[in-house]
Amino acid sequence: MIFDKFLLGRRRNQLTDGDLDALEQAAGPFRDLAPRTTLITQGTPVTFSTYLVDGFMCRYMDDRKGERQLVAVHVPGDFVDLHGYPLKRLDHDIASINACRIVQVPHARLDEIMIARPGLSKLLWFSTLLDAAMHREWIFRLGRFEAIKRIGHFFCEIEAKLRAVGLSDGSSFPLPMTQMDLAEACGMTPVHVNRMLRELRERKIMQIRANSVKIFDLAALYRLCEFDPGYLYLDDGIAQP
Amino acid sequence: MIFDKFLLGRRRNQLTDGDLDALEQAAGPFRDLAPRTTLITQGTPVTFSTYLVDGFMCRYMDDRKGERQLVAVHVPGDFVDLHGYPLKRLDHDIASINACRIVQVPHARLDEIMIARPGLSKLLWFSTLLDAAMHREWIFRLGRFEAIKRIGHFFCEIEAKLRAVGLSDGSSFPLPMTQMDLAEACGMTPVHVNRMLRELRERKIMQIRANSVKIFDLAALYRLCEFDPGYLYLDDGIAQP
DNA sequence: CGATAATTTGATGTGGCTCAACCTACGTGG
DNA sequence: CCACGTAGGTTGAGCCACATCAAATTATCG
């Protein structure tokens, strides 16, 4: 079962057995990625899409001075660059954060799915729009939140996504990101990330160390960052604080 | 010809006459919207999607204190909330900026298109992913650019989009946004927007007044904001500075 | 165990915010 | 056709959140 986490927590029940079979048939073999490996470079034409089986990946853009901004962080069960199928080339880079396992689906196979399986096609489309919804929330966060809320909100999102696929129990979860990574995700400097993490720790809300996050008070974290998981389009009951 | 601007400048030639007919058949009658009218409210289930024939619209989210962040600005030829079709409800509000003309397409008709026209379906999917690509650029802009580049980059994007549908000649175009709107789009205060606009004026790069933007030196503007229109997925030759 | 990456802390600078006033354009009604 | 109200735009003064720079401390791993 390669796609056992795909859309888990989100309309998974609309995937028929036939749909799942079609996906499994379309997928290539498992591939392992070393940590911090660039998989796709901006602008290069792409002919397959990548599904993340295990590990964490990210998408990012660099400016002229080499300053990096993450635009997405991906967890197991995510179709990392399914948007590359209609787009044909990507406007950003994609890389692993830690050691990852992926499978790749050739776009030619997706063409067959588009013709034969409109229901599955619509769900694939839906999954790319989830990313767009998260993009919007990131815009909101960067445009209107101060540093501590930006960081906190980011953790809320990752926690909710991981919970949906069974990788968080609401009080702790793995996260192989450095403070530099967090800074690149939240539009701030690593130094300031460090100070904000200290504040979250001192306020007994949460703590991050050794690639693992501990949440002491998820309700307080939600409150602090005005977190409302509606934009993640999760099935009811998932991601309550 | 309702959809004469749809995907103009972007793979328009992949739309067959049959595809266009199917779209025209699916669309309801013209509808006129007064300026500053909310069309869709966050969270409400949607059963149709809106295509913008004329005017400017925007999508936005508000925080607890009522501070607003725009997440997209739409121009004629945009399918404003096509993403509502797979998503079924929206995570943000949609409103007109000035007086707009729209048509609406029931989602039931899009279901028929998904079954009968995989090629058109893929182009519709593509058009929603254009918005996602713009979202990513907004994230980048908010996370890594200082105020003057944020504003300038926003103008570059709007100009390029308008040029693709024939509404800008590269040196001037209509834009019915107030400085407050610009502030909400660029994650800053109206006061600071005003100062940055003054700087752009004094540096003889561009000027905005009476709902109209004049660009004195587009190449300089591109240079200032590191603008690269690649993420707009325009056909070659459009949007050169 | 030494090299290297990551985290932590302090001191100082500044871009953009806040608050407050004033100015200008424009639509409406007397 | 002018008086007035209102929305939008402009400017100044002071302040603060976050950046920058620099250095020390602590993990991590071959």
Side-chain angles (χ1 to χ4, degrees):
Chain A
M1 275 302 285
I2 303 172
F3 291 94
D4 59 328
K5 293 196 173 70
F6 181 54
L7 287 182
L8 199 59
R10 294 179 187 102
R11 306 190 190 175
R12 167 75 180 192
N13 59 347
Q14 291 180 25
L15 276 174
T16 66
D17 289 349
D19 289 339
L20 278 170
D21 277 356
L23 275 178
E24 303 265 341
Q25 294 302 317
F30 285 121
R31 234 187 99 183
D32 289 314
L33 283 181
R36 307 287 166 181
T37 308
T38 302
L39 180 67
I40 314 257
T41 304
Q42 189 241 88
T44 317
V46 287
T47 58
F48 55 82
S49 285
T50 303
Y51 172 82
L52 181 54
V53 176
D54 202 35
F56 289 77
M57 300 186 73
C58 65
R59 301 191 270 148
Y60 60 85
M61 302 160 65
D62 293 328
D63 78 358
R64 203 153 43 190
K65 291 180 307 205
E67 303 231 310
R68 179 161 298 183
Q69 176 65 45
L70 302 198
V71 295
V73 171
H74 289 287
V75 305
D78 284 354
F79 233 126
V80 174
D81 61 349
L82 185 53
H83 57 301
Y85 168 56
L87 288 178
K88 297 191 174 134
R89 62 182 170 80
L90 296 186
D91 46 275
H92 57 267
D93 291 0
I94 300 184
S96 62
I97 295 177
N98 60 351
C100 290
R101 168 159 287 190
I102 60 176
V103 294
Q104 296 178 320
V105 179
H107 289 169
R109 312 302 293 271
L110 293 174
D111 282 332
E112 295 162 19
I113 287 174
M114 281 295 283
I115 291 165
R117 298 187 168 273
L120 175 56
S121 301
K122 192 173 169 185
L123 281 170
L124 291 173
W125 187 355
F126 169 76
S127 88
T128 62
L129 296 182
L130 286 178
D131 285 329
M134 291 180 227
H135 288 339
R136 287 190 284 276
E137 198 75 13
W138 285 42
I139 290 172
F140 176 69
R141 180 204 284 162
L142 289 168
R144 290 295 166 219
F145 278 179
E146 65 217 336
I148 191 143
K149 286 168 118 180
R150 287 210 292 276
I151 290 259
H153 192 280
F154 175 79
F155 284 119
C156 288
E157 177 176 298
I158 292 282
E159 195 281 326
K161 288 177 70 171
L162 288 173
R163 187 129 49 103
V165 293
L167 295 174
S168 167
D169 60 4
S171 72
S172 94
F173 56 90
L175 187 70
M177 293 174 74
T178 64
Q179 293 183 5
M180 180 76 179
D181 295 327
L182 293 170
E184 289 169 351
C186 297
M188 44 206 277
T189 57
V191 172
H192 205 57
V193 166
N194 185 280
R195 293 189 224 272
M196 294 302 101
L197 290 176
R198 179 176 56 187
E199 182 167 341
L200 288 169
R201 204 184 318 127
E202 286 170 354
R203 288 169 67 174
K204 303 206 192 319
I205 293 176
M206 55 154 291
Q207 180 179 62
I208 174 169
R209 33 187 282 263
N211 292 347
S212 147
V213 175
K214 291 216 187 320
I215 310 273
F216 303 129
D217 189 344
L218 188 57
L221 186 58
Y222 272 34
R223 232 178 300 121
L224 171 67
C225 331
E226 307 180 33
F227 186 73
D228 174 352
Y231 73 97
L232 295 172
Y233 292 84
L234 295 164
D235 299 333
D236 293 343
I238 299 181
Q240 299 312 309
Chain B
M1 274 303 286
I2 305 173
F3 291 94
D4 59 328
K5 292 196 173 69
F6 182 54
L7 287 182
L8 199 60
R10 295 179 185 102
R11 304 190 193 177
R12 167 79 180 190
N13 58 347
Q14 292 179 26
L15 276 175
T16 66
D17 290 347
D19 288 340
L20 278 170
D21 278 354
L23 275 178
E24 303 265 341
Q25 294 302 318
F30 286 121
R31 233 188 101 185
D32 288 315
L33 282 181
R36 308 287 167 183
T37 308
T38 302
L39 181 67
I40 312 256
T41 304
Q42 188 239 90
T44 317
V46 287
T47 58
F48 55 81
S49 285
T50 302
Y51 172 81
L52 180 55
V53 177
D54 202 34
F56 290 76
M57 299 185 74
C58 66
R59 302 193 269 148
Y60 59 86
M61 302 161 61
D62 294 327
D63 77 358
R64 201 155 44 192
K65 290 179 307 205
E67 302 233 309
R68 178 161 298 183
Q69 176 65 44
L70 302 197
V71 296
V73 171
H74 289 288
V75 304
D78 283 354
F79 233 127
V80 174
D81 61 349
L82 186 53
H83 57 301
Y85 167 57
L87 289 178
K88 298 191 172 128
R89 62 182 170 80
L90 296 186
D91 45 274
H92 57 267
D93 292 359
I94 301 184
S96 62
I97 295 178
N98 59 351
C100 290
R101 168 158 286 190
I102 60 174
V103 294
Q104 296 180 319
V105 179
H107 289 169
R109 313 302 293 273
L110 293 174
D111 281 332
E112 294 162 19
I113 287 174
M114 281 295 283
I115 291 166
R117 300 190 167 272
L120 174 56
S121 301
K122 192 173 169 185
L123 281 171
L124 291 173
W125 186 355
F126 169 76
S127 87
T128 63
L129 296 182
L130 286 178
D131 285 329
M134 291 179 227
H135 288 340
R136 286 190 285 276
E137 199 75 13
W138 285 41
I139 292 172
F140 176 69
R141 178 204 286 164
L142 288 168
R144 290 296 166 221
F145 277 179
E146 65 219 338
I148 190 141
K149 287 168 119 182
R150 287 211 292 275
I151 289 259
H153 191 280
F154 174 78
F155 284 118
C156 289
E157 179 177 298
I158 292 281
E159 194 281 325
K161 287 177 70 171
L162 287 173
R163 188 129 48 106
V165 293
L167 295 174
S168 167
D169 60 3
S171 72
S172 95
F173 55 90
L175 187 69
M177 292 175 73
T178 64
Q179 293 184 5
M180 180 76 178
D181 294 327
L182 292 171
E184 288 169 352
C186 297
M188 44 208 275
T189 57
V191 171
H192 204 56
V193 166
N194 183 281
R195 294 189 223 272
M196 295 302 101
L197 290 177
R198 179 175 56 186
E199 182 167 342
L200 288 170
R201 204 184 318 128
E202 285 170 352
R203 288 169 68 174
K204 303 206 192 313
I205 293 176
M206 54 156 288
Q207 180 179 60
I208 176 169
R209 35 185 280 263
N211 293 345
S212 149
V213 176
K214 291 218 187 317
I215 310 272
F216 303 129
D217 189 344
L218 188 59
L221 186 58
Y222 273 34
R223 232 178 300 121
L224 171 67
C225 333
E226 306 179 31
F227 186 73
D228 175 353
Y231 72 98
L232 295 172
Y233 292 84
L234 295 165
D235 298 334
D236 292 343
I238 301 182
Q240 299 312 308

